[in-house]
């Protein structure tokens, strides 16, 4: 089985990804799709009068501040609009898709961070009412059940905590955990960028291949912002037994086919 994740940030396109996935499905290839929804969540949260806030950890990772109200808006957008329009698009292409959040069947279990260290305007704070977490366990039996019965699983955050709370987990790292749990050989992370770029503003500076041993250096130097989390996810997938992780553009003509042909950054 193949695991494909499509981002939900600005610059992503989902339709060509669904075209490719439907072709693969009809050719007998089985996959699990994971998706994001960050840009749409920002819009809806703003429209609902609860605008998004982002916090930066002392090690420089940025994440969404997720109080309970944000967790509910996040769930509404990811597991609602985003997930169901993808399911709709797959049905229109003849694929019998089933959309699930990580909380359904406890497919994605995580640990809520009870105290988050954050740097806000140069000052260090501790936030205790946040519903963000990290995946600690994947329960893949439901996914096998669906795949074996001919259904195509479409997954998204939130995950569920040990205390049964909906938690915001990173979609790239969720896809990595799923790929490892399903013993996938390949994980494809489709995003707004054409891959990992040596110079983030220059699409021609794509790095075609990256050995696992060079990941740390990339994370500490030229990969910035959300790209660093993708590299972290790539490392987690490879350490979990996945053979290769491909970061590639979702807005290509044939994003999945092109990524599988190596048109992106292949990390192994
Ligand atoms: P998603 O597509 O999963 O929603 P993002 O779009 O938030 O994720 O994350 C990918 C973004 O990371 C790119 O669109 C780009 O702006 C940024 N980025 C930072 N550094 C790099 C880099 N070195 N190479 C490619 N993209 C980078």
């Amino acid at each position: 089985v193949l695991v494909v994740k499509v981002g939900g940030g600005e610059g992503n396109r989902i339709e060509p990804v669904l075209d490719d996935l439907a072709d693969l499905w009809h050719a007998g290839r089985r996959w699990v799709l994971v998706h994001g929804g960050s840009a749409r969540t920002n819009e809806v949260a703003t429209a609902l009068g609860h605008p998004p806030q982002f916090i930066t950890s002392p090690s420089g990772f940025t994440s969404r501040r997720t109080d309970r109200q944000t967790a509910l808006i996040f769930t509404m957008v990811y597991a609602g609009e985003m997930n169901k329009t993808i399911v709709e698009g797959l049905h229109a292409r003849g694929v019998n898709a089933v959309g699930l959040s990580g909380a359904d069947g406890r497919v994605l279990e995580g640990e809520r961070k009870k105290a988050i260290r954050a740097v806000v305007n140069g000052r260090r704070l501790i936030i205790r009412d946040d519903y963000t977490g990290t995946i600690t366990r994947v329960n893949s039996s439901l996914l096998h059940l669906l795949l074996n019965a001919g259904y195509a699983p479409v997954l998204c955050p939130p995950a569920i905590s040990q205390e049964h709370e909906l938690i915001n987990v990173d979609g790239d790292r969720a896809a990595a955990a799923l790929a490892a749990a399903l013993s996938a050989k390949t994980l494809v992370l489709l995003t707004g960028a054409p891959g990992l770029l040596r110079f983030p503003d220059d699409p021609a500076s794509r790095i075609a291949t990256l050995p696992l041993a060079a990941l740390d250096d990339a994370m500490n130097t030229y990969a910035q912002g959300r790209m660093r989390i993708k590299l972290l996810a790539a490392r987690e997938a490879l350490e979990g037994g996945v053979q290769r992780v491909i970061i590639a553009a979702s807005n290509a003509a044939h994003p999945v086919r092109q990524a599988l042909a190596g048109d992106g950054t292949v990390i192994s």
Side-chain angles (χ1 to χ4, degrees), residues 5 7-10 12 38 172 190-193 195-198 200 222-227 230:
K5 190 259 175 178
E10 306 279 356
N12 277 286
S38 57
D172 294 309
L190 298 172
T191 180
L196 173 64
L197 305 175
R198 185 74 187 81
Y222 48 90
Q224 287 151 28
R226 295 263 324 132
M227 187 50 69
K230 290 187 194 297

Side-chain angles (χ1 to χ4, degrees), residues 138-152:
V138 175
N139 295 305
S140 49
S141 60
L142 177 58
L143 301 179
H144 288 301
L145 204 77
L146 290 171
L147 287 165
N148 290 336
Y151 295 98

Side-chain angles (χ1 to χ4, degrees), residues 72-91:
L72 296 178
I73 296 169
F74 178 96
T75 302
M76 209 164 99
V77 174
Y78 277 70
E81 179 182 331
M82 296 298 297
N83 190 268
K84 297 319 159 199
T85 53
I86 290 173
V87 166
E88 175 187 50
L90 286 165
H91 283 300

